[in-house]
């Protein structure tokens, strides 16, 4: 395999199969036959809906890898990669039992103390912003603090939160069900089944049962056997999952579930019931609670994208580049650990000065940080208004 093919494959695989670590209780669920996306869950803040990163979006990111590693666009990538191959051939390492090995690995953010591990950062820096992974921990801390504040506020203003929930469910349901029309045959023939599953789920939640994975497995849609219908069936499943997540957020209040069921059966009767419910639970801060909840969800979505992008860069550096098709000798412990550490540290410092020329990939990372900071600022502002 030539250098271009390997680098293209390594970068593409990093986007398709990132290595995402849990941060602040947020975890990633990989693809399955029940979904067509990567799904991020906040396991600490239960008012937040999971964030789905669609397979379509991921494939678009992965497609950018072809241009990003072309030699005429990214000459430095091949210069750094050549040095990396040389270091891999030597395979010199600082012994793991050397007293400073562990602390230096943590300080330099390296999986092992070696020039080849450090050089991977220089290869990576020609594609990704070199400061991205070092900046993420500070960004993530902002989310942790504000998410806790937002959840406390919403739990203290439960009636306003409830009204926001049922309104969100109604708006989302109406938007989704419009797509289930005769112009799209696969969706249309599944419309009745789609509503039936939602109603059944609401009834289960009212009796304090849990919507588990088995629910999805035991509730198929028409057309699942046909490959040509795969995309539309996944639409059905992903839309169902989105609405089921909203239903589960309402499980603490049976009246909300009854309202949701009425919406599924008759929109006019639902509207009358919603007005009565709202009049019985008059609160002045519904708009504030709605703003806090929506800004919290948006901040989580942007946070999840950063986690994904961090996982892509980590996977490229520490998994797919390591799989380079070069014949290595066994690890060779250096006879001069201190000198080796100085060389390693220098390489890491040099990586921070590299400006990526990968085009859209670098722009995606820069824009993701900007969008996240904007989302955090809006969440903070909405919380300040709630005081």
């Amino acid at each position: 395999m030539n250098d271009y093919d390997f680098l293209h494959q390594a970068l593409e695989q990093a986007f398709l199969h990132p290595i995402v670590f849990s941060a602040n209780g947020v975890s990633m669920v990989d693809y399955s036959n029940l979904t067509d996306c990567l799904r991020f869950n906040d396991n600490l803040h239960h008012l937040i809906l999971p964030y789905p990163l669609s397979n379509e979006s991921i494939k678009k990111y992965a497609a950018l890898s072809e241009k990003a590693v072309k030699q005429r666009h990214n000459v430095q990538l091949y210069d750094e990669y050549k040095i990396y191959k040389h270091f891999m051939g030597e395979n010199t390492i600082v012994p793991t039992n050397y007293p400073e090995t562990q602390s230096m690995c943590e300080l330099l953010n390296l999986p092992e103390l070696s020039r080849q591990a450090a050089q991977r950062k220089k290869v990576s820096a020609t594609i990704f912003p070199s400061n991205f992974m070092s900046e993420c921990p500070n960004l993530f801390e902002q989310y942790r603090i504000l998410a806790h504040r937002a959840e406390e506020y919403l739990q203290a203003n439960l009636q306003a939160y409830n009204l926001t929930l049922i309104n969100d469910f109604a708006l989302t349901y109406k938007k989704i069900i419009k797509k289930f029309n005769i112009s799209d045959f696969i969706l249309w023939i599944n419309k009745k089944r789609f509503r039936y599953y939602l109603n059944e789920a609401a009834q289960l939640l009212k009796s304090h049962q849990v919507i588990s994975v088995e629910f999805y497995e035991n509730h198929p849609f028409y057309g699942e056997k046909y490959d040509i219908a795969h995309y539309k069936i996944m639409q059905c499943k992903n839309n169902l999952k989105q609405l089921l997540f909203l239903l589960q957020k309402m499980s603490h209040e049976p009246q909300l579930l009854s309202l949701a069921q009425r919406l599924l059966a008759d929109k006019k009767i639902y509207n009358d019931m919603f007005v009565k419910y709202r009049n019985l639970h008059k609160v002045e801060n519904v708009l504030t609670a709605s703003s806090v909840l929506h800004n919290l969800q948006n901040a989580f979505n942007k946070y999840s994208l950063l986690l994904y992008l961090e996982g892509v860069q980590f996977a490229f550096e520490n998994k797919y580049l390591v799989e380079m098709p070069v014949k290595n000798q066994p690890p060779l412990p250096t006879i001069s650990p201190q000198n080796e550490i100085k060389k390693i540290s220098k390489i890491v410092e040099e990586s921070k000065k590299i400006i990526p020329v990968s085009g859209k990939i670098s722009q995606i990372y820069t824009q993701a940080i900007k969008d996240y900071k904007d989302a955090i600022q809006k969440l903070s502002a909405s919380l300040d208004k709630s005081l």
Side-chain angles (χ1 to χ4, degrees):
M1 185 182 295
N2 61 39
D3 290 352
Y4 168 78
D5 288 339
F6 171 74
L7 290 168
H8 179 205
Q9 177 180 289
L11 185 55
E12 185 178 56
Q13 287 302 305
F15 277 108
L16 295 175
H17 303 288
I19 299 175
V20 177
F21 296 99
S22 178
N24 294 325
V26 177
S27 59
M28 183 190 78
V29 179
D30 209 335
Y31 310 96
S32 73
N33 62 336
L34 302 176
T35 184
D36 200 25
C37 61
L38 295 178
R39 200 175 294 275
F40 291 82
N41 301 302
D42 190 324
N43 303 311
L44 297 181
H45 304 101
H46 301 295
L47 304 188
I48 300 173
L49 295 171
Y51 169 66
L53 182 59
S54 71
N55 189 32
E56 185 179 358
S57 296
I58 292 167
K59 285 182 177 179
K60 285 181 180 179
Y61 291 149
L64 299 174
S65 60
E66 182 178 0
K67 185 176 180 180
V69 300
K70 282 188 175 178
Q71 192 160 9
R72 69 175 182 270
H73 292 296
N74 201 342
V75 175
Q76 189 172 6
L77 168 62
Y78 289 85
D79 292 340
E80 302 298 348
Y81 182 61
K82 183 178 180 181
I83 297 170
Y84 171 58
K85 287 197 294 183
H86 173 71
F87 288 157
M88 284 290 284
E90 291 182 341
N91 208 11
T92 303
I93 64 168
V94 176
T96 55
N97 60 356
Y98 185 70
E100 294 182 30
T101 299
Q102 185 61 38
S103 61
M104 289 303 298
C105 279
E106 293 174 3
L107 180 65
L108 300 174
N109 192 23
L110 294 172
E112 65 172 27
L113 210 52
S114 67
R115 275 177 285 169
Q116 53 269 29
Q119 185 64 22
R120 287 200 295 270
K121 287 191 173 297
K122 293 187 74 175
V123 174
S124 176
T126 68
I127 298 172
F128 309 101
S130 60
N131 63 336
F132 180 80
M133 290 182 72
S134 61
E135 193 174 350
C136 279
N138 293 330
L139 295 174
F140 295 165
E141 181 65 13
Q142 295 173 324
Y143 170 78
R144 186 188 66 80
I145 294 169
L146 289 176
H148 182 68
R149 279 182 60 196
E151 190 161 68
E152 281 189 333
Y153 170 78
L154 292 168
Q155 288 177 333
N157 295 272
L158 195 57
Q159 289 302 336
Y161 170 64
N162 285 345
L163 284 165
T164 300
L165 275 182
I166 187 59
N167 192 52
D168 283 355
F169 178 84
L171 290 173
T172 305
Y173 170 75
K174 290 174 184 177
K175 182 179 177 181
I176 287 174
I177 208 65
K178 279 183 181 179
K179 301 174 185 176
F180 286 69
N181 56 54
I182 192 65
S183 64
D184 195 315
F185 182 71
I186 297 297
L187 295 181
W188 180 70
I189 62 173
N190 279 296
K191 186 175 183 178
K192 184 176 180 181
R193 187 174 286 209
F194 187 82
R195 284 175 167 159
Y196 180 82
Y197 290 168
L198 285 171
N199 185 68
E200 182 183 353
Q203 198 61 38
L204 289 171
L205 291 169
K206 284 169 77 172
S207 60
H208 309 292
Q209 297 185 56
V210 176
I211 305 300
S212 64
V213 173
E214 285 73 22
F215 185 89
Y216 302 100
E217 292 175 340
N218 298 330
H219 290 72
F221 287 97
Y222 290 119
E224 288 193 12
K225 295 179 180 179
Y226 305 104
D227 291 340
I228 195 171
H230 173 79
Y231 178 75
K232 293 300 178 181
I233 296 301
M234 279 300 170
Q235 266 190 288
C236 289
K237 291 184 176 183
N238 286 331
N239 287 330
L240 177 66
K241 205 156 196 172
Q242 184 180 3
L243 289 168
L244 288 178
F245 282 131
L246 279 165
L247 281 176
Q248 288 175 91
K249 299 301 176 190
M250 297 188 286
S251 61
H252 65 281
E253 178 54 79
Q255 277 186 286
L256 296 178
L257 294 171
S258 294
L259 279 169
Q261 287 178 301
R262 182 48 58 190
L263 174 64
L264 298 173
D266 191 312
K267 285 188 286 186
K268 188 177 183 303
I269 296 177
Y270 162 78
N271 290 335
D272 294 338
M273 287 181 65
F274 176 74
V275 170
K276 291 177 182 177
Y277 179 84
R278 187 181 60 196
N279 291 336
L280 284 172
H281 302 87
K282 285 188 176 180
V283 285
E284 297 180 355
N285 60 340
V286 175
L287 290 178
T288 303
S290 177
S291 176
V292 170
L293 180 60
H294 294 154
N295 284 324
L296 172 60
Q297 185 66 51
N298 187 46
F300 173 70
N301 294 350
K302 304 304 182 188
Y303 173 89
S304 298
L305 181 58
L306 288 185
L307 272 180
Y308 166 74
L309 294 175
E310 183 189 43
V312 170
Q313 186 172 350
F314 183 90
F316 178 72
E317 284 184 23
N318 299 293
K319 183 177 190 296
Y320 298 109
L321 276 182
V322 178
E323 296 173 353
M324 181 186 63
V326 168
K327 190 173 181 179
N328 289 358
Q329 66 174 12
L332 179 65
T334 180
I335 59 172
S336 180
Q338 279 297 339
N339 286 337
E340 193 68 19
I341 288 174
K342 287 179 183 178
K343 293 176 184 177
I344 294 166
S345 300
K346 183 181 178 183
I347 294 171
V348 172
E349 286 303 310
E350 288 173 349
S351 73
K352 298 175 184 178
K353 299 173 185 177
I354 295 175
I355 298 175
V357 291
S358 56
K360 289 186 178 180
I361 290 178
S362 177
Q363 292 171 17
I364 287 168
Y365 276 71
T366 304
Q367 188 63 45
I369 290 180
K370 182 182 181 300
D371 291 345
Y372 172 78
K373 288 180 177 178
D374 289 345
I376 286 292
Q377 188 174 9
K378 288 178 182 177
L379 175 57
S380 180
S382 65
L383 286 167
D384 290 342
K385 286 181 181 179
S386 70
L387 297 175

